[in-house]
Amino acid sequence: MSLLILAIAVAILLILRVPVGLAFLGPSLVYMLMSGNSPGFAMRIAAEGTASFPLLAVPLFILLGTLANYAGIADRIFDFALALLGRVRGSLGYVNVASSVGFAWMSGSALADSAALGKIMVPAMQKTGYNRGFATGLTASAALVSPMMPPSIPAVIFASVATVSTGALFAASVLPALLLAAALLVTVYLYVRKHSELKKYPRSAKEIKAASLRVIGPILAPVIILGGILGGFFTPTEAAAIGVLYILALGFIYRTLSFKGVLNALRETAVTTGSIMLIIAAASLLGWVLSREQVPQNLADFMTSNISSPILFLLAVNVLLIILGAFIDATAVILITVPVLLPIAVEFGVDPVHFGVIMILNLMIGLLTPPVGSVLFVMSSVLRTPVETVFKGVAPFLIPMVLVLLLLTFVPAIVTFVPNLLGF
């Protein structure tokens, strides 16, 4: 089977909405068998792709975010943000973004964020005068802060594939995540200025105090997790395990987490982890095929011959990743493209951590673009709204997100400042 036939087969399967892991696995396995390799060899390649210690953190961070959702952590963060910002006109728009930032420190997943906050934020924003389309678009867009802010699941996967420090990538992601949140806050501010009908949501001093006390426990979670990683006390995997135990303890202390809730969280984690590991195993086979066909070498020769500067290279990568992210799951894109593109980036003098942050933001934007757009489908399900309607609300927010992406591309110091400060 030639590389062209394999590419066509993968494309057809993706168009038919076959799961990404299976779309990669089938054609790659056929190619390997037709090339004279045994099924045992193919299984070994697939297994080696998942045999990475940093990847142990993935199911634990997924479980952490799922437990936080079942334990009602998002509700506590929402109440706290609303108590602080309620006296501002149009406050729920700002509360929306602030809640996503708060939940991001524990979630690491845009899908978990959008599922947890979507059903809270959109109806509440509509009650205070916000247009449903704007409220939906803002909630979906703010969910992207979660996979950007540490602990980020895409960052763990990138670090594993690129063999860079997970702690360095976590540290590098903080300012870009806050910058993304700031861009969304500016968008809210511009909207509020044009809509005088938006209401305030004031809270009394007693309510502010109560909300502040209720959020102390959740606020300590990122301090423990990220403080442990960045301080060198824990590995990301150990920090994720400690975070899971901490959220479990909070849920039982608050009496918001039942035994049934824990079982449901474990079930959801198993399903999500299984899906990710299938993609990783299948992408390992596809990566072996691409390497055998010398795709990385040919692409490197083409780019170094036709692109003259690091900026032009990064801009070309941005375009490529946004297109790929619109059609293929982010995990699969990271696994397939990092071994190909990262060596070229290093040859151009691009810092691997800088490259990783840019790649993650690119692919997260893809979560908001059809036809795949996972966050679009989650919001559609939560709000019982057609996907097309959700995307219409999201579309205006793509502009500030792309502007942030370009700023990070042209000013790498925004990404590298914190890791350099911490000595990574």
Side-chain angles (χ1 to χ4, degrees):
M1 180 187 289
S2 70
L3 185 61
L4 178 61
I5 296 175
L6 181 141
I8 293 173
V10 171
I12 290 173
L13 291 174
L14 290 173
I15 291 171
L16 293 175
R17 304 303 296 271
V18 173
V20 174
L22 297 178
F24 285 176
L25 182 63
S28 301
L29 189 57
V30 171
Y31 176 99
M32 295 183 75
L33 295 177
M34 291 183 66
S35 300
N37 297 288
S38 67
F41 176 75
M43 290 178 63
R44 182 165 65 83
I45 295 295
E48 287 176 353
T50 61
S52 170
F53 180 75
L55 286 179
L56 287 174
V58 172
L60 289 170
F61 278 127
I62 293 172
L63 180 58
L64 176 64
T66 308
L67 285 172
N69 193 355
Y70 275 98
I73 300 299
D75 295 335
R76 290 172 177 265
I77 293 172
F78 168 75
D79 289 340
F80 176 65
L82 186 57
L84 291 183
L85 300 171
R87 296 184 180 278
V88 179
R89 190 171 66 83
S91 58
L92 278 182
Y94 305 109
V95 169
N96 192 325
V97 180
S99 298
S100 286
V101 171
F103 195 61
W105 293 104
M106 287 164 281
S107 168
S109 166
L111 302 185
D113 188 302
S114 56
L117 294 174
K119 56 189 174 185
I120 301 173
M121 292 304 318
V122 175
M125 289 180 69
Q126 282 187 270
K127 288 180 182 178
T128 58
Y130 274 96
N131 173 275
R132 182 176 176 85
F134 184 89
T136 302
L138 177 63
T139 306
S141 302
L144 298 196
V145 176
S146 278
M148 287 297 297
M149 186 77 78
S152 160
I153 294 171
V156 173
I157 295 172
F158 178 91
S160 174
V161 178
T163 61
V164 301
S165 165
T166 305
L169 200 55
F170 278 3
S173 301
V174 173
L175 288 183
L178 294 176
L179 189 61
L180 179 61
L184 295 176
L185 289 173
V186 169
T187 308
V188 172
Y189 172 75
L190 295 175
Y191 182 90
V192 170
R193 285 187 61 187
K194 295 180 180 179
H195 293 80
S196 57
E197 74 278 9
L198 292 174
K199 304 173 184 176
K200 297 181 181 181
Y201 222 115
R203 295 292 180 92
S204 66
K206 185 178 179 181
E207 288 174 317
I208 294 174
K209 181 181 178 181
S212 302
L213 292 174
R214 278 166 48 84
V215 85
I216 290 176
I219 283 178
L220 290 177
V223 174
I224 295 170
I225 297 168
L226 297 179
I229 295 172
L230 300 181
F233 300 105
F234 315 130
T235 66
T237 304
E238 293 166 345
I242 291 169
V244 167
L245 293 175
Y246 182 75
I247 294 298
L248 273 173
L250 282 185
F252 288 126
I253 291 171
Y254 294 151
R255 297 183 180 180
T256 54
L257 189 61
S258 64
F259 183 69
K260 182 180 178 181
V262 173
L263 288 180
N264 288 336
L266 289 171
R267 188 180 299 112
E268 289 181 23
T269 300
V271 171
T272 305
T273 302
S275 174
I276 290 174
M277 290 305 169
L278 176 61
I279 292 172
I280 291 173
S284 299
L285 292 181
L286 184 56
W288 183 90
V289 172
L290 295 177
S291 179
R292 187 176 188 274
E293 292 287 340
Q294 296 188 328
V295 170
Q297 296 92 321
N298 294 333
L299 183 60
D301 292 340
F302 174 80
M303 284 193 156
T304 52
S305 300
N306 294 276
I307 297 178
S308 57
S309 72
I311 290 297
L312 290 177
F313 166 74
L314 289 176
L315 290 175
V317 168
N318 284 342
V319 173
L320 172 65
L321 292 177
I322 285 180
I323 293 172
L324 290 177
F327 292 92
I328 306 175
D329 180 84
T331 300
V333 177
I334 290 173
L335 294 165
I336 294 301
T337 60
V338 168
V340 177
L341 295 176
L342 185 58
I344 306 173
V346 172
E347 190 171 337
F348 275 108
V350 177
D351 186 290
V353 172
H354 177 217
F355 185 77
V357 172
I358 289 176
M359 169 171 271
I360 292 168
L361 180 54
N362 265 297
L363 297 177
M364 294 308 101
I365 291 174
L367 295 177
L368 297 178
T369 53
V372 175
S374 302
V375 170
L376 298 180
F377 288 95
V378 170
M379 293 296 294
S380 172
S381 175
V382 168
L383 301 174
R384 298 181 181 179
T385 302
V387 174
E388 297 80 7
T389 304
V390 176
F391 179 67
K392 287 180 182 178
V394 165
F397 292 94
L398 295 176
I399 296 173
M401 287 188 284
V402 170
L403 290 177
V404 170
L405 174 62
L406 292 175
L407 183 60
L408 297 179
T409 301
F410 285 104
V411 189
I414 297 173
V415 176
T416 58
F417 174 73
V418 175
N420 292 338
L421 186 67
L422 296 176
F424 283 104

